[in-house]
Amino acid sequence: MNLLTQNKKLKKTSIANNKRVLNFSLPAYKTESGKTVCPFAKDCIKYCYAQKGNYRYPSVQKGLNKRYELSKTDNFVPMMNATIKKKKATHIRIHDSGDFYSIKYLIKWVDIATQNKDVIFYAYTKSIKFFKGSLTMPKNLKIIFSEGSKTDNLIDTTKDRHAKIFKNVADLLNAGYINASDNDLNAITDNKKVGLVYH
């Protein structure tokens, strides 16, 4: 199973930054068996890009569901550690589709990041509630709260790294957000206001 892949945007980001940026994907919103992967999704369900295009191909869906099943096992952490080293990743985007579906699953990623200190991990998430508790994040794991969840009220836009969708780049920049639409690593700069143009 190919655990880490690279979509078009991340290929472009890798070239622009001279880095090796890979991603780990899960099914968008629900698995083929009906298990919820994005427990706090709300507004995004109707316009989710990961439920369109290439993501809908049967072969892609099969791979996404296999990764979900693997993520529930004790083999997930060691297999991910081995893949990271093999692929020589410098940055890993957790979930270009899917989300942290449980605390137990999130803790696995905390373990992976802790064991791979030279790699930067980052994730957009609507599972904001999981991060507002007592769980400590390693410094190399960057979290971006995505607006459009059932718990947007938990986002402190003055302090929390967060993402907002805009209709165009001009509106995005006028609002003081950094544009991460083309360069994915803009999501983890010092500017915690991350803007994305709807596509």
Side-chain angles (χ1 to χ4, degrees):
M1 188 190 312
N2 195 6
L3 289 184
L4 294 174
T5 57
Q6 194 176 53
N7 62 30
K8 186 177 179 181
K9 181 179 179 181
L10 294 188
K11 286 179 183 177
K12 185 176 179 181
T13 297
S14 294
I15 292 169
N17 296 277
N18 194 28
K19 301 293 183 183
R20 181 102 168 115
V21 188
L22 302 173
N23 61 277
F24 177 77
S25 309
L26 291 175
Y29 188 47
K30 288 190 176 184
T31 67
E32 61 184 3
S33 62
K35 299 290 185 183
T36 300
V37 184
C38 304
F40 299 97
K42 185 184 173 187
D43 299 339
C44 60
I45 295 171
K46 51 192 175 185
Y47 58 79
C48 179
Y49 69 88
Q51 296 193 69
K52 306 173 186 174
N54 293 344
Y55 290 94
R56 301 311 302 165
Y57 290 151
S59 59
V60 174
Q61 285 290 306
K62 184 177 180 181
L64 294 173
N65 281 280
K66 279 187 174 181
R67 290 186 197 104
Y68 169 75
E69 293 300 331
L70 176 65
S71 74
K72 296 190 295 180
T73 72
D74 292 338
N75 291 329
F76 181 66
V77 172
M79 285 183 72
M80 185 58 71
N81 286 338
T83 302
I84 289 167
K85 288 176 175 58
K86 182 180 178 181
K87 294 211 169 187
K88 299 179 180 178
T90 61
H91 295 73
I92 293 174
R93 176 171 170 172
I94 308 169
H95 310 139
D96 68 319
S97 64
D99 206 340
F100 297 103
Y101 56 82
S102 70
I103 288 283
K104 185 177 180 180
Y105 170 60
L106 167 58
I107 289 172
K108 290 180 181 180
W109 278 108
V110 170
D111 289 346
I112 292 166
T114 301
Q115 294 176 48
N116 295 275
K117 296 186 185 300
D118 294 335
V119 179
I120 302 296
F121 298 81
Y122 66 105
Y124 290 87
T125 185
K126 289 181 169 61
S127 299
I128 302 158
K129 193 175 181 180
F130 295 164
F131 296 88
K132 290 291 185 173
S134 58
L135 189 62
T136 302
M137 294 294 113
K139 290 183 179 180
N140 60 326
L141 176 53
K142 316 287 185 183
I143 300 300
I144 308 118
F145 296 149
S146 295
E147 291 187 354
S149 77
K150 295 174 184 175
T151 55
D152 278 1
N153 61 299
L154 296 178
I155 302 174
D156 183 344
T157 56
T158 64
K159 295 179 181 178
D160 294 331
R161 188 181 301 276
H162 67 282
K164 185 175 183 134
I165 305 291
F166 292 86
K167 290 182 179 178
N168 56 63
V169 174
D171 289 348
L172 183 159
L173 296 175
N174 287 336
Y177 284 70
I178 190 167
N179 186 8
S181 302
D182 296 318
N183 189 335
D184 215 46
L185 294 188
N186 280 348
I188 54 174
T189 66
D190 290 339
N191 187 351
K192 293 183 178 181
K193 298 169 72 174
V194 181
L196 297 161
V197 175
Y198 175 76
H199 63 284

